[in-house]
Amino acid sequence: MKLQEVLNDLERRFPNEPEYHQAVEEVLGSIEEVYNQHPEFEKANLIERLCIPDRIFSFRVTWIDDKGNVKVNMGYRIQHNNAIGPYKGGMRFHSSVNLSILKFLAFEQTFKNSLTTLPMGGGKGGSDFSPRGKSTAEIMRFCQAFILELWRYIGPDTDVPAGDIGVGGREVAYMYGMYKKLARENTGTFTGKGIEFGGSLIRPEATGYGNIYFLLEMLKTRNIDIKGKICSISGSGNVAQYTAEKLIELGAKVITLSDSDGYIYDPDGIDRKKLDIIMELKNLYRGRIREYAEQHNCKYVAGARPWGEKCDIALPSATQNEIDEDDAKTLIANGCIAVSEGANMPSTPGAIGVFQKAKILYAPGKASNAGGVATSGLEMTQNSMRLNWSREEVDDKLKSIMQNIHAQCVKYGKESGSYVNYVKGANVAGFMKVARAMMAQGIV
Ligand code: NDP
Ligand code: 2IT
């Protein structure tokens, strides 16, 4: 089938899955040229096989809240593609979770994992359970009930989950604890584990740090120094926090952070001390970013995203489609020179068009946020060896993986002049490796 036919067909067979269609359309739009150079791909119906997940598990999760009410949520795991390694990807717990969102994430993960150079296939899972406002005991019971259903279908050589929105170290630990009990094996079927039981140093920091390592590579192509640059970050969770940490360390000025209720704006810059307070508020007390603004006399804008504040560099690190075309135009009008995505698919297609037309440095999440899953891959390696690497060792490997991903994007994304289309570069490089692996393994 031709690429456009595949897309039309997916839209017909899987209606009401706009995020999934959006992610597929972006990749297929980038790979047309290389696809046409390989007629054997069409013969093998490679694209349809690559777009439709290998399998999807969906199940009911029943748990009991602190008041004794019996609660029901949906649980899912999407095993998208394992051509280059075991299925690998995070779990998202958020009230908005549905099949469209998880299918887009699992599809994206396949190409991202391919770019990391490590042997990992693509997967994603999660639940429409919202951890917001739940007690620790409720979170534990939910995680246990979730794994009671899922444990049979995951394993260190088949499918290795990790965190994503609403799933951090606490949730991974509860899920892993239950998994071990049921599966009677202890070889690391999750990543993002605690350091005492097989976790890797730097994994918590890896997505944010990795995004900045990627950004540094992009800036290098235009001889731009990060020092003193005004940076706007969205989100205030795992990715946003460590993006801010690395930027502060490098002498950049972080002026915004946000959550789903609004954003804070600090023109003096969020320094190390302020970030410590925010981390404590978010990770220990699970509070709202508004509370920081109230207690520390800082501007808070309710119900809005931070893209209207003037910045040099934007680092969207909350969720999908959080920068629309108008936001993108505002960023450009305000002099923004680079956008490096910490979140998955945070820019709408309209926004991407604006960035590319303005020829600013623009990195899609599957390249720039790949440091998280890459370090998950390093955690898997350490678990297999039953050894732990030092902070420096993991950080060095993360750095060189991000540099390598940048080099792949440049190789496959260079266009006329010296402009690098990082979307094309990431999609073509990620796709070609998976395609070659699938072709070699026959029709399975
Ligand atoms: P967290 O749950 O730690 O933090 C998520 C942050 O984004 C919170 O501040 C949250 O606010 C905000 N947010 C979530 N949903 C929405 C929404 N619908 N609208 C506005 N704000 C929202 O998640 P992570 O930091 O781990 O993930 C952030 C992004 O990074 C996601 O897109 C994820 O897929 C991606 N990512 C994560 C990786 C990882 O290793 N964790 C790796 C690669 C990508 P609130 O508290 O109000 O919900
Ligand atoms: O989107 C992502 O890459 C993640 N949430 C991390 C996945 C992982 O397996 O570490």
Side-chain angles (χ1 to χ4, degrees):
M1 268 203 274
K2 296 271 175 267
L3 297 183
Q4 187 58 47
E5 285 172 39
V6 175
L7 187 63
N8 295 344
D9 201 48
L10 291 179
E11 287 174 358
R12 181 184 60 76
R13 289 157 86 185
F14 310 105
N16 309 317
E17 297 187 357
E19 292 86 359
Y20 173 54
H21 303 153
Q22 182 183 334
V24 171
E25 189 166 3
E26 185 214 271
V27 171
L28 298 194
S30 299
I31 61 166
E32 190 147 17
E33 201 182 312
V34 286
Y35 180 77
N36 289 335
Q37 289 162 2
H38 292 273
E40 69 276 17
F41 290 171
E42 193 169 332
K43 244 187 183 153
N45 198 7
L46 189 85
I47 298 299
E48 197 178 359
R49 289 164 54 211
L50 182 55
C51 290
I52 297 181
D54 287 357
R55 66 193 67 78
I56 300 177
F57 300 103
S58 75
F59 45 92
R60 172 172 49 76
V61 184
T62 307
W63 58 282
I64 300 179
D65 74 11
D66 287 346
K67 297 197 185 90
N69 301 313
V70 179
K71 299 285 198 183
V72 172
N73 284 101
M74 285 307 297
Y76 308 95
R77 183 73 184 166
I78 303 198
Q79 296 183 338
H80 190 87
N81 184 292
N82 68 350
I84 62 177
Y87 303 106
K88 178 83 196 89
M91 294 286 199
R92 178 176 290 193
F93 292 171
H94 192 269
S95 53
S96 64
V97 161
N98 58 35
L99 269 183
S100 174
I101 289 177
L102 295 181
K103 280 170 77 176
F104 114 65
L105 287 163
F107 176 80
E108 287 280 287
Q109 198 80 45
T110 301
F111 303 100
K112 183 196 303 190
N113 293 4
S114 166
L115 285 170
T116 65
T117 69
L118 303 174
M120 298 182 291
K124 201 85 188 189
S127 172
D128 57 3
F129 169 80
S130 169
R132 193 164 161 177
K134 303 289 190 301
S135 72
T136 304
E138 287 174 328
I139 301 274
M140 181 183 76
R141 287 197 295 275
F142 174 80
C143 289
Q144 292 175 338
F146 184 91
I147 289 300
L148 196 54
E149 279 298 322
L150 188 64
W151 73 275
R152 292 168 207 284
Y153 308 111
I154 57 178
D157 295 309
T158 51
D159 185 354
V160 183
D164 193 78
I165 292 177
V167 178
R170 174 180 64 166
E171 291 75 20
V172 165
Y174 286 144
M175 286 193 272
Y176 189 55
M178 189 62 168
Y179 171 81
K180 276 194 303 144
K181 219 175 171 63
L182 295 163
R184 299 192 304 127
E185 64 96 7
N186 200 345
T187 51
T189 295
F190 276 79
T191 60
K193 299 184 293 296
I195 206 69
E196 308 81 2
F197 49 98
S200 174
L201 290 166
I202 299 285
R203 177 62 190 87
E205 295 90 338
T207 311
Y209 281 18
N211 189 16
I212 301 307
Y213 297 152
F214 193 92
L215 172 68
L216 291 176
E217 291 302 301
M218 288 204 294
L219 293 175
K220 223 190 273 172
T221 65
R222 295 190 181 178
N223 289 318
I224 300 170
D225 193 353
I226 186 89
K227 212 164 174 188
K229 290 286 169 300
I230 297 173
C231 299
S232 184
I233 301 177
S234 64
S236 51
N238 172 270
V239 178
Q241 290 173 18
Y242 289 103
T243 300
E245 179 169 290
K246 187 51 85 179
L247 285 170
I248 294 166
E249 186 191 314
L250 295 172
K253 192 192 234 188
V254 176
I255 54 159
T256 69
L257 284 170
S258 71
D259 59 24
S260 48
D261 296 333
Y263 74 88
I264 55 168
Y265 172 65
D266 185 341
D268 299 332
I270 295 163
D271 60 14
R272 178 72 251 183
K273 243 168 109 186
K274 295 175 189 170
L275 183 62
D276 282 341
I277 297 169
I278 292 168
M279 282 179 156
E280 192 175 275
L281 170 76
K282 282 285 166 189
N283 306 342
L284 210 60
Y285 303 112
R286 314 232 167 225
R288 312 302 303 156
I289 202 78
R290 171 181 39 79
E291 297 170 42
Y292 171 83
E294 285 163 4
Q295 289 157 18
H296 296 87
N297 193 25
C298 152
K299 178 174 150 187
Y300 173 72
V301 183
R305 301 184 288 222
W307 314 124
E309 305 293 351
K310 186 174 163 52
C311 67
D312 299 316
I313 299 170
L315 300 128
S317 308
T319 193
Q320 65 277 351
N321 293 329
E322 56 167 317
I323 301 184
D324 63 22
E325 193 170 336
D326 286 341
D327 296 324
K329 285 181 181 156
T330 306
L331 283 166
I332 298 294
N334 282 337
C336 178
I337 55 165
V339 177
S340 201
E341 297 182 341
N344 285 304
M345 207 168 76
S347 306
T348 64
I352 296 173
V354 171
F355 296 144
Q356 293 187 329
K357 194 163 160 234
K359 293 211 177 336
I360 64 160
L361 297 166
Y362 165 68
K366 68 166 75 68
S368 47
N369 75 33
V373 73
T375 308
S376 280
L378 301 176
E379 182 171 331
M380 290 165 72
T381 308
Q382 292 167 81
N383 291 163
S384 298
M385 297 194 304
R386 291 180 153 82
L387 278 176
N388 296 313
W389 291 330
S390 69
R391 237 183 120 76
E392 292 68 31
E393 208 164 344
V394 180
D395 200 26
D396 283 350
K397 287 187 164 67
L398 169 62
K399 225 174 265 171
S400 68
I401 288 170
M402 297 317 293
Q403 288 165 351
N404 184 300
I405 295 173
H406 183 268
Q408 292 182 67
C409 288
V410 172
K411 180 173 170 192
Y412 292 97
K414 206 155 212 160
E415 291 186 339
S416 56
S418 59
Y419 178 68
V420 180
N421 180 339
Y422 286 90
V423 175
K424 182 178 174 200
N427 285 336
V428 171
F431 163 73
M432 281 308 290
K433 182 171 160 189
V434 180
R436 277 196 293 268
M438 286 177 73
M439 291 303 293
Q441 291 167 31
I443 309 296
V444 286

